[in-house]
Amino acid sequence: MTHLKEDAQFEFKAVEKFLVGMGMDFGCGSNRLSPTVFSVDRHREQGVDFVWNIVHEGGRYPIPFSDNTFDFIFTSHALEDFELDEVQFAFDELLRLIKPGGYLITIGPDMQNNRYPKWDEVFTEESPEVIKGERQINELKGNPSHRYDWGLDFCHKLKNESRYQTEIMQEDVIPHNTMSIDFVIKKL
């Protein structure tokens, strides 16, 4: 049985084989993976099952579930919104909740390979969008909520600095004509 909605984004379909068993969609916002997966977000959105902010006001707040609860945790375009000194905690917190043999499935903007604008990249007077009048000089190209340049190198850094042993199962299979990159690891 698939957990994907019939109209799921094609990026989600690239990781579908790992979406088996009891899962969590972390940071889903209004773009929930599936109604059959438990959803967590720090903002109340339509369809969010549980509102929880794991880092705020300088504190760290573990998600109130037992260790090794989920077969997989899916997170799309959420981890890059954490501050640099918070993201490893968030990454490890998700791994804490995954059963051994389960998967952490991440999809994020590929800023490393310039498939997505850097978080601080701006339009210039030479930008075609400025010339056409669609954008203003110095307007941000990227998402201002992104805190650093997400990409495979950063995913590998999080994996290597984690307190949990993991194995890479899949990376960078989403077609390169998109802005996203996938990174799937198995908790050992």
Side-chain angles (χ1 to χ4, degrees), residues 1-5 8-26 32-38 70-76 98 101-107 169-170 182-185:
M1 175 190 110
T2 181
H3 283 288
L4 288 181
K5 298 182 290 189
Q9 292 182 4
F10 73 95
E11 295 172 333
F12 294 3
K13 292 178 181 176
V15 297
E16 183 174 13
K17 66 184 176 184
F18 301 103
L19 306 174
V20 178
M22 187 166 75
M24 175 193 286
D25 185 351
F26 178 78
R32 187 173 178 167
L33 173 68
S34 167
T36 63
V37 173
F38 186 75
F70 295 95
D71 296 301
F72 71 88
I73 295 181
F74 173 86
T75 182
S76 176
I98 297 171
Y103 303 101
L104 176 57
I105 303 143
T106 63
I107 296 177
M169 301 304 294
Q170 174 177 302
D182 57 293
F183 186 71
V184 180
I185 57 176

Side-chain angles (χ1 to χ4, degrees), residues 19-146:
L19 306 174
V20 178
M22 187 166 75
M24 175 193 286
D25 185 351
F26 178 78
C28 61
S30 61
N31 190 22
R32 187 173 178 167
L33 173 68
S34 167
T36 63
V37 173
F38 186 75
S39 63
V40 176
D41 198 280
R42 66 182 175 163
H43 301 289
R44 177 143 324 271
E45 298 274 353
Q46 179 72 29
V48 171
D49 296 315
F50 188 64
V51 176
W52 193 262
N53 192 352
I54 67 172
V55 291
H56 59 91
E57 299 176 7
R60 308 277 194 272
Y61 305 93
I63 299 170
F65 284 96
S66 299
D67 296 358
N68 307 317
T69 298
F70 295 95
D71 296 301
F72 71 88
I73 295 181
F74 173 86
T75 182
S76 176
H77 294 268
L79 291 176
E80 68 276 5
D81 294 345
F82 285 90
E83 296 292 341
L84 199 53
D85 64 338
E86 300 169 342
V87 68
Q88 189 69 57
F89 170 80
F91 188 83
D92 282 351
E93 176 61 7
L94 297 180
L95 283 170
R96 178 186 70 80
L97 298 174
I98 297 171
K99 297 174 185 175
Y103 303 101
L104 176 57
I105 303 143
T106 63
I107 296 177
D110 189 5
M111 293 180 252
Q112 176 184 330
N113 292 309
N114 298 316
R115 288 167 34 193
Y116 189 93
K118 306 277 192 222
W119 66 272
D120 59 351
E121 191 174 342
V122 295
F123 290 99
T124 65
E125 63 183 52
E126 295 86 22
S127 300
E129 297 87 349
V130 171
I131 293 169
K132 292 181 205 172
E134 298 169 349
R135 300 290 186 176
Q136 300 294 315
I137 295 171
N138 293 325
E139 183 180 343
L140 281 176
K141 284 185 177 183
N143 184 332
S145 70
H146 296 164

Side-chain angles (χ1 to χ4, degrees), residues 133-161:
E134 298 169 349
R135 300 290 186 176
Q136 300 294 315
I137 295 171
N138 293 325
E139 183 180 343
L140 281 176
K141 284 185 177 183
N143 184 332
S145 70
H146 296 164
R147 305 295 188 219
Y148 36 81
D149 295 338
W150 188 265
L152 276 184
D153 288 348
F154 199 83
C155 291
H156 285 223
K157 177 183 181 307
L158 290 172
K159 177 202 174 305
N160 293 336
E161 294 180 7

